[in-house]
Each structure stands twice: as structure tokens, then as C-alpha cells.
Amino acid sequence: MELIESFITNNPCYQANLRRADSRYAVFQTRGPLGLMLHSVGCAQPRAEVFRKKWDNAAYDRASVHAVIDANSGTVFQTLPWNFRAWHCGGSGNDTHVGVELCESAAIRYDTGANFTVLDRKTALADCARTYQAAVELFAFLCGKYGLDPKSAICSHREGGKRGIASGHVDPEHYWTGLGAPYSMEGFRSDVAKALAATPQAGPLYRVQVGAFRNRAYAEAYLRQVQTHFPEAFLKTETS
Ligand SMILES: [Zn+2]
């Protein structure tokens, strides 16, 4: 899985997280996600960068997600820190779930609502497979990172709507069904569980350090600087 960290720092949601606009943001940031929600974009736009650019705008106050997966390359663009509260599902799922969008193939054409015509099935299935595989790897990584059980912690936007924690959308299942692709949410959860089981949970841990100070005030000032680019950075005190 190739992951590019490319935060949408101009999006009002990012800013609301930075200033911890209300307790929902503070809680999500401290606790981390309790679940993961899978979406697809609902238009024939395979390029993640198009969405990233649109969202990275102070005037775009309608939505934000944690990551968007490019259908041409399978590259994951992380658009928010995983422990930020996003605006991806139009319901209380925003308080608990990370939201990830799959881009959809350019080899389809939307007609009305969620109905589309497949223009080139072979290409569309290959584009779909790329995002599916990357999503399996990403969700396995996130389940490992936050100690989540794939079987209970993962849902689609559609399932979230049925459960009353998201708006009534049909993604991403409508995309898979419309393409005749061999995917389902049950299958997705099971593929993530398999990928998670195959991930080594022990072994060396690689930390990235950017500074060390004897003077706590200097350390805190430096941390604030680092956090403007990497909000997940934190101060760790070692005594020696
Ligand atoms: Zn959705």
C-alpha cells in the first residue's frame, strides 16, 4: 500500500479539529476511532487528487474524510490525521468512525441517482479491484493501530445508514453491484481480518524523532511548530 500524507489543512473541518471546536472533536482526538466506514465517491472520477484539491478549501464546509483512494494507482491519500473527527457520513458515525472514500472508475457513466452505465467493464473492474485491495490493506493497518476487530468495527456508508448512524446513502455497495464486481461488505471484513492476521504484531518498532531538549519550554515551543504540519506529534518525557 502506498500512502501519501496530504492533509486538507484549509478545510473548515481540519480547522475545527485544530481548535477542538467542541467536545466531540476533543473526545475523538484523545480516544481515536472506534470504527471504520467505507465510502465510494458516487461519480466517475478516478483521481483522488481532484477530490483532495476540492476539499482543501476554506469555503468547502460540506464534507471531509480521512483518506481517499485513487482508482488509477491504488494510492491512498490521507487527508486528515486518523484521530481527527471528520464530516463523512452525515450522522453520529462522524463521532466514532474514520471515513475512507474509494474513487470510482472513469469507465462508467452515471445516469440518474446511484444508477450508472458501464462503458468498459474490463477497465472498470480493474480500477475497482485496485481501490478494493488498497482499502483492505489500509483497514487492516487501522484495525491494528487502534485495536479494532474487523468483523464488528467496519461498516459501509450504506450499512451505517441502516443502523441509524449515517445518512441514507448506498455506497460503496451500489458501485460493486452495478459493476458486477465480486465484492461485498461481508467479504471485505473477512479480507481485512485475513490481512490483519498476516501482519506481524511483534518485532522492532520504528519511531521518528525530530528533537530533544533539556529545557521543557523549548521542547513545547518546538512541538507547536511541528504540530502545524504533523498534528499527531506529541511530547514524551524521558528521565535519565
Ligand atoms: Zn458515503
Side-chain angles (χ1 to χ4, degrees):
M1 175 183 70
E2 194 197 357
L3 188 145
I4 296 175
E5 192 181 275
S6 185
F7 295 149
I8 46 173
T9 53
N10 294 307
N11 189 287
C13 175
Y14 188 94
Q15 295 299 328
N17 274 278
L18 275 193
R19 63 173 191 279
R20 295 185 161 200
D22 63 48
S23 62
R24 296 171 303 173
Y25 297 89
V27 167
F28 202 114
Q29 286 180 28
T30 310
R31 180 207 58 205
L34 299 176
L36 312 172
M37 192 178 287
L38 188 64
H39 300 258
S40 70
V41 292
C43 59
Q45 175 52 265
R47 294 182 54 220
E49 186 57 23
V50 172
F51 296 100
R52 209 206 70 80
K53 267 202 190 118
K54 185 167 83 173
W55 298 332
D56 192 19
N57 183 332
Y60 195 81
D61 58 1
R62 298 207 321 253
S64 68
V65 298
H66 292 87
V68 53
I69 303 179
D70 190 280
N72 292 331
S73 63
T75 301
V76 178
F77 288 81
Q78 186 187 353
T79 42
L80 290 175
W82 305 120
N83 67 337
F84 271 21
R85 176 182 182 271
W87 303 339
H88 58 92
C89 73
S92 63
N94 285 336
D95 300 336
T96 49
H97 283 60
V98 154
V100 176
E101 291 276 2
L102 309 178
C103 285
E104 298 184 18
S105 177
I108 62 174
R109 187 191 60 228
Y110 271 87
D111 302 318
T112 51
N115 300 312
F116 58 82
T117 303
V118 181
L119 306 174
D120 173 351
R121 184 154 189 269
K122 194 163 164 246
T123 301
L125 283 175
D127 292 345
C128 181
R130 235 172 263 127
T131 57
Y132 181 90
Q133 192 47 45
V136 167
E137 291 173 32
L138 174 63
F139 277 49
F141 160 74
L142 289 171
C143 282
K145 184 175 170 66
Y146 290 105
L148 303 173
D149 177 355
K151 294 275 152 109
S152 56
I154 294 174
C155 68
S156 66
H157 191 165
R158 179 176 169 275
E159 291 173 327
K162 287 190 180 302
R163 229 193 277 167
I165 62 165
S167 55
H169 284 207
V170 292
D171 57 300
E173 290 97 318
H174 80 289
Y175 177 51
W176 297 337
T177 309
L179 285 179
Y183 309 132
S184 66
M185 283 310 295
E186 271 317 306
F188 182 73
R189 282 184 278 271
S190 145
D191 286 342
V192 172
K194 273 185 228 152
L196 181 62
T199 310
Q201 301 298 318
L205 187 64
Y206 303 98
R207 290 189 194 280
V208 180
Q209 183 180 333
V210 290
F213 303 84
R214 289 278 175 216
N215 181 318
R216 186 174 180 107
Y218 293 168
E220 284 174 352
Y222 190 55
L223 176 65
R224 279 193 295 278
Q225 254 181 310
V226 172
Q227 278 176 333
T228 59
H229 294 289
F230 304 102
E232 288 176 301
F234 61 91
L235 189 75
K236 185 169 171 244
T237 309
E238 283 173 29
T239 48
S240 61

